[in-house]
Amino acid sequence: MKGKGTVTPLSSVFSVEDTQKAAQRVHDTIAQKDLELERLLGFVADNTDLINLVGRLPDHLHHDIMVPFGKAAFFPGRLVHTNEFMVLLGEGYYAERTSKQTVDILNRRGKVLESQLDSLKAMVQDLKAEASFFNATASEAAEGLVEIMEDYEEESSSDRESALKQDSPKNSGTVITEHVDEDEEFARMMARMDELEKEEREAESQMSQSDENEEVQLGLHQLSDQKSLHGNLKTSGSQSRKSPQQTKDGIASNKDSFTDEPSCSGLETISADKLSHGNILARNVKSVAEKDFVSPVVENFQTVPSSRSQVPLESSKPKFEREKAFTGSIVEHADNLQIKSRERTTATSQSSASQVSKPVSRFKMQRK
Amino acid sequence: MESYRQQKIQKLEEFVDGRLKPDLVQTIAQRDKVFEKQKVFSDLRKNIENLEKNSVTSLRTMVNLGSEVYMQAEVPDTRRIFVDVGLGFHVEFTWSEALSYISQREEKLEREIEDYTNRIASIKSHIKMVCEGIRELLQLPAEKPVPELNF
């Protein structure tokens, strides 16, 4: 499927040089802030030292010290009045305080410093996040990463067919029944279902009305198909062989009721959930068809349309697209798929066509 | 030829901006430091001369304990001064000894300042030379076409 899309190299949106310059600027700012941070840390350390000193000084009456005289000379002297401190409050105002009071003042100053430090650290964190983003963009742009935007487009019938036919041979061998690794497959498929659902929901808004109507009409059939498909999904992937009869039994049971899942009991709930999404899943299949997803789920989904395509070929061409909308599984393919390995040959589709006569009747019955 | 000239001009400009100007700035900064030291010593000398004049024996000062927290200090005997002689050493002086040492120190600083001034002058002259060279290179291509027109 060729979608109309735009391929924009990231380097055009964010030019390499600009991102690098921006990254450089942020780095510089970070360096500046780091310096500020160091200064503040120095102040905090000084403050703590001073608090200790002020606490210890009143222990003695006098302290022998070297009294500085200017910047280049000292006098030997003593510290007197060891409990009297003159603290600068700012703007030329001093306060004479005792040791304890000075310690209180210094503690309050310490708190102010800490709050400043915290705010600065927060700023540095933000800048670092910014820098990492810029770096990532710069490296991406330099590598030549390309942003691809595609509009969701309805598949044309021919495209669908070719895509399906390509995928149907893939499915050979996958739709085989055995309950080995059932649970793992089950979980895997569940996850895949969820993904597909999400995609469908997103794409659903873009879907045209006509398609939805078609889907609705054939919803019932899809449900049945899904049931059988679920059965296949659960058992697929193991790649071991089971008698086709079992699969056919599954089909027969599906024919009877929508809630019977003899081989895949666990999937009942799933299918119940999926009922509403049957239409969606069909579209999911289409969109998924082009993706390189080798999960048997997808392939199984697509086996149905492919086999379905065989049916309308014989019946009527106008119904062709409708048939392809079906996502039900084709257990009938089990026969063919067992024979063929995963080869992209049209032979499979052709051989399946030969066997279509049998499933056709079943489908027709289901349709009614 | 034009491009060659342009290249040369560019190189010269870069040389000026990249090497000569930063050199100039650095040298000026160093000379300022020496100026400051000189000022410190001259202040010290003035203070000692003051002490001597007033025969001050004891002092009461405020000592900065750090972060502008002051404490009273008493200097009982001011006659002994410990002066910083560099490399982390302080030498005990009497007033007169201190004064003589300080004057010697000041002379040394003067010589250093002179040395820095000379270097600054040479760097400035270098810059001027290069600028003149660039101007020459620029003017020549401009002048040539003019005389041709006058033909």
Side-chain angles (χ1 to χ4, degrees):
Chain A
M1 160 167 99
K2 288 173 190 173
K4 299 172 208 162
T6 54
V7 173
T8 46
L10 259 184
S11 50
S12 69
V13 180
F14 312 105
S15 87
V16 186
E17 291 158 8
D18 282 349
T19 42
Q20 281 173 352
K21 276 184 204 164
Q24 192 60 39
R25 256 183 288 143
V26 178
H27 273 300
D28 292 340
T29 334
I30 288 182
Q32 267 182 353
K33 297 295 173 189
D34 279 340
L35 282 174
E36 276 286 322
L37 211 67
E38 278 178 36
R39 264 187 64 215
L40 278 181
L41 283 172
F43 290 156
V44 169
D46 285 345
N47 207 34
T48 348
D49 289 341
L50 193 59
I51 289 172
N52 293 335
L53 180 67
V54 169
R56 280 186 304 111
L57 278 178
D59 293 344
H60 296 280
L61 274 178
H62 309 110
H63 289 273
D64 285 329
I65 57 162
M66 289 293 265
V67 183
F69 192 63
K71 281 195 182 169
F74 292 97
F75 282 118
R78 328 170 90 187
L79 272 180
V80 293
H81 297 155
T82 51
N83 205 28
E84 292 170 20
F85 295 88
M86 185 95 81
V87 186
L88 173 68
L89 304 174
E91 296 298 309
Y93 280 93
Y94 290 82
E96 277 218 35
R97 299 258 91 187
T98 67
S99 166
K100 264 195 183 175
Q101 291 163 335
T102 316
V103 166
D104 290 340
I105 292 177
L106 292 175
N107 278 329
R108 285 194 287 271
R109 277 192 198 168
K111 282 184 192 162
V112 169
L113 280 177
E114 299 255 324
S115 68
Q116 276 184 12
L117 202 64
D118 288 338
S119 70
L120 199 63
K121 275 183 187 170
M123 276 182 67
V124 169
Q125 288 279 23
D126 292 340
L127 284 173
K128 278 187 180 162
E130 219 181 302
S132 69
F133 165 72
F134 276 130
N135 279 337
T137 331
S139 59
E140 283 176 9
E143 284 172 12
L145 251 187
V146 153
E147 198 174 319
I148 305 173
M149 304 254 304
E150 266 189 20
D151 299 335
Y152 182 79
E153 235 188 41
E154 273 304 305
E155 288 181 12
S156 61
S157 55
S158 54
D159 287 345
R160 244 184 268 163
E161 201 180 14
S162 55
L164 295 171
K165 279 186 181 173
Q166 281 179 359
D167 288 323
S168 64
K170 253 198 223 173
N171 299 332
S172 62
T174 59
V175 185
I176 299 173
T177 59
E178 213 178 48
H179 293 281
V180 179
D181 299 333
E182 234 178 58
D183 292 339
E184 291 175 20
E185 281 305 318
F186 182 48
R188 201 152 62 85
M189 287 184 300
M190 278 316 300
R192 183 63 193 149
M193 298 273 206
D194 290 340
E195 287 176 43
L196 292 173
E197 273 180 60
K198 281 178 198 166
E199 288 165 14
E200 269 305 325
R201 270 183 223 133
E202 289 167 8
E204 203 177 0
S205 57
Q206 301 178 20
M207 293 294 293
S208 59
Q209 281 293 314
S210 58
D211 287 340
E212 288 179 6
N213 291 339
E214 287 177 3
E215 302 279 353
V216 168
Q217 287 171 14
L218 307 166
L220 289 176
H221 302 284
Q222 287 185 10
L223 294 178
S224 64
D225 293 335
Q226 280 183 11
K227 297 277 178 176
S228 55
L229 176 60
H230 284 302
N232 295 330
L233 293 178
K234 206 177 181 187
T235 58
S236 69
S238 59
Q239 305 226 357
S240 55
R241 304 207 158 192
K242 214 185 186 183
S243 66
Q245 286 205 352
Q246 290 183 354
T247 59
K248 283 177 188 171
D249 288 342
I251 300 167
S253 62
N254 287 336
K255 266 193 287 179
D256 297 338
S257 69
F258 288 93
T259 55
D260 264 353
E261 289 277 350
S263 57
C264 318
S265 52
L267 283 170
E268 262 190 352
T269 50
I270 307 154
S271 23
D273 296 334
K274 300 297 178 228
L275 285 181
S276 56
H277 301 301
N279 300 333
I280 301 167
L281 279 168
R283 293 173 207 150
N284 274 337
V285 173
K286 288 180 229 158
S287 56
V288 169
E290 291 138 28
K291 295 179 189 172
D292 211 6
F293 193 80
V294 192
S295 157
V297 175
V298 176
E299 293 157 3
N300 281 334
F301 275 134
Q302 300 194 335
T303 55
V304 176
S306 65
S307 65
R308 284 279 184 178
S309 68
Q310 311 302 330
V311 177
L313 272 175
E314 293 180 3
S315 53
S316 59
K317 294 253 174 171
K319 281 190 183 178
F320 204 61
E321 291 179 9
R322 264 192 228 164
E323 300 302 334
K324 286 190 189 138
F326 282 98
T327 56
S329 64
I330 300 302
V331 181
E332 303 85 22
H333 272 280
D335 296 342
N336 309 323
L337 298 171
Q338 280 177 2
I339 299 163
K340 309 268 177 179
S341 55
R342 290 194 183 194
E343 293 165 359
R344 297 198 174 209
T345 59
T346 54
T348 338
S349 54
Q350 288 171 7
S351 58
S352 66
S354 63
Q355 293 220 349
V356 162
S357 55
K358 281 185 198 170
V360 166
S361 58
R362 285 192 203 126
F363 282 126
K364 278 184 183 166
M365 284 169 63
Q366 285 177 352
R367 262 191 247 166
K368 287 167 193 169
Chain B
M1 281 305 287
E2 282 298 318
S3 64
Y4 173 68
R5 277 212 188 94
Q6 293 279 338
Q7 273 183 11
K8 244 197 163 180
I9 290 170
Q10 237 196 341
K11 275 188 193 168
L12 287 173
E13 272 185 22
E14 281 171 17
F15 179 60
V16 169
D17 287 333
R19 272 205 56 195
L20 292 180
K21 284 199 179 151
D23 277 355
L24 186 65
V25 169
Q26 257 185 6
T27 327
I28 290 178
Q30 283 169 345
R31 193 177 69 158
D32 287 345
K33 273 192 216 164
V34 183
F35 265 138
E36 275 180 33
K37 260 214 150 165
Q38 198 191 34
K39 182 173 180 289
V40 164
F41 274 106
S42 87
D43 282 349
L44 185 61
R45 190 157 55 89
K46 281 182 194 158
N47 280 331
I48 294 174
E49 283 169 358
N50 234 349
L51 287 176
E52 236 180 331
K53 219 189 329 172
N54 298 331
S55 311
V56 177
T57 44
S58 57
L59 273 182
R60 267 260 174 121
T61 69
M62 282 284 202
V63 178
N64 188 357
L65 301 175
S67 304
E68 307 293 320
V69 173
Y70 293 91
M71 203 174 196
Q72 281 186 48
E74 204 189 16
V75 181
D77 184 14
T78 58
R79 274 170 301 169
R80 301 152 88 219
I81 305 177
F82 289 75
V83 184
D84 173 22
V85 295
L87 298 175
F89 283 95
H90 291 77
V91 178
E92 196 180 341
F93 285 118
T94 61
W95 283 341
S96 43
E97 288 169 353
L99 284 172
S100 68
Y101 167 76
I102 288 170
S103 45
Q104 276 180 9
R105 193 68 195 275
E106 275 182 331
E107 272 175 43
K108 186 172 170 287
L109 289 172
E110 271 294 332
R111 280 192 298 241
E112 268 183 48
I113 288 176
E114 228 185 277
D115 183 41
Y116 276 120
T117 315
N118 287 336
R119 275 169 61 179
I120 287 171
S122 75
I123 293 175
K124 277 188 182 170
S125 65
H126 279 320
I127 292 176
K128 260 211 157 172
M129 250 178 20
V130 173
C131 284
E132 276 301 316
I134 292 174
R135 243 174 264 143
E136 255 189 48
L137 284 172
L138 284 174
Q139 277 170 6
L140 278 178
E143 278 174 355
K144 265 185 182 172
V146 176
E148 282 173 13
L149 282 173
N150 289 337
F151 244 17

